[in-house]
Amino acid sequence: MCKKNGKVRTLLFCKNGVRGVDSSDRLKRALDGLKVLSLEENRLERLSDIKMLGEALGESLEDMVLIGNPVTRRQYYRLFTIACMPSLKNLDYARITAVERKTSERLLASAAGAALQNDVTIEGKRAEKELKNGVQTFNPGEGGDVKEGYVANFSVEEKEKIKKMIGNAKSADEIERIEESVRRGVFPKGDAV
């Protein structure tokens, strides 16, 4: 953590088992002026968490790293993140290009973008409900990371089938269902590809 003038400017929060983001208002107050955020190798899964980070930090954040989080495998992850955070210059160690900015704007203005935003809203409501029911957004020391469970529990053939299932998923809910099964070490139910 690096501070300047009493404000946190850089926050490196890697491999801490972070599963979600809580209250953009609290984040905004606590991390006002944050320039660099690394949440590498955590358990962030929802685009609604990206949206909340954007609402809290989108005016100041310039560099963000989310590599190693399940959310990075979501369709439109990069474009959605760029759209939510207009001040972002680098995402996952890669410079954001003008073409990506325009594409992210076009995505959100399209029918696919409207469906995506609807899914994100539903995810956010589900996350709020889980939070009220005692599901914590931060669980330090709880097991290994998602990659460990994925590598340890499935054969090469099963891993390939899971990748295809995620690639063929028709909704964010379907991807979440598959990833939840994988986290539990259970092969996802449904049509094996």
Side-chain angles (χ1 to χ4, degrees), residues 12-173:
L12 307 175
F13 213 66
C14 307
K15 296 184 180 181
N16 281 291
V18 176
R19 297 175 63 167
V21 177
D22 187 17
S23 179
S24 60
D25 291 336
R26 285 193 341 205
L27 270 176
K28 190 168 190 144
R29 284 192 307 272
L31 299 176
D32 181 44
L34 188 72
K35 297 288 184 195
V36 179
L37 176 62
S38 179
L39 289 165
E40 207 168 339
E41 298 290 333
N42 279 290
R43 295 182 185 178
L44 291 174
E45 301 174 340
R46 299 180 180 107
L47 289 174
S48 60
D49 291 326
I50 302 296
K51 182 179 179 184
M52 196 166 304
L53 283 170
E55 290 169 356
L57 308 171
E59 295 175 16
S60 64
L61 197 63
E62 295 178 358
D63 296 283
M64 185 166 71
V65 182
L66 293 170
I67 292 171
N69 285 280
V71 72
T72 62
R73 296 190 306 266
R74 297 280 300 270
Q75 186 177 17
Y76 303 122
Y77 150 76
R78 187 169 173 88
L79 294 175
F80 183 78
T81 303
I82 292 167
C84 287
M85 300 183 190
S87 64
L88 211 55
K89 295 178 181 174
N90 299 292
L91 177 59
D92 297 333
Y93 301 114
R95 191 110 180 114
I96 295 170
T97 66
V99 171
E100 285 179 308
R101 283 211 193 278
K102 290 231 183 261
T103 304
S104 72
E105 291 168 9
R106 282 197 315 266
L107 169 66
L108 291 188
S110 70
L116 178 64
Q117 288 180 357
N118 187 49
D119 286 347
V120 169
T121 300
I122 292 168
E123 277 182 353
K125 288 178 182 176
R126 187 177 305 132
E128 283 178 30
K129 188 175 180 181
E130 288 174 357
L131 200 58
K132 288 178 185 174
N133 291 329
V135 175
Q136 297 179 351
T137 55
F138 177 64
N139 294 315
E142 185 182 284
D145 69 358
V146 174
K147 284 184 183 176
E148 288 175 2
Y150 187 79
V151 171
N153 293 323
F154 298 104
S155 68
V156 174
E157 297 89 22
E158 288 174 321
K159 288 179 194 176
E160 287 304 313
K161 287 180 182 178
I162 290 168
K163 286 179 187 176
K164 287 180 182 177
M165 290 171 89
I166 290 172
N168 294 331
K170 304 233 184 309
S171 70
D173 287 339

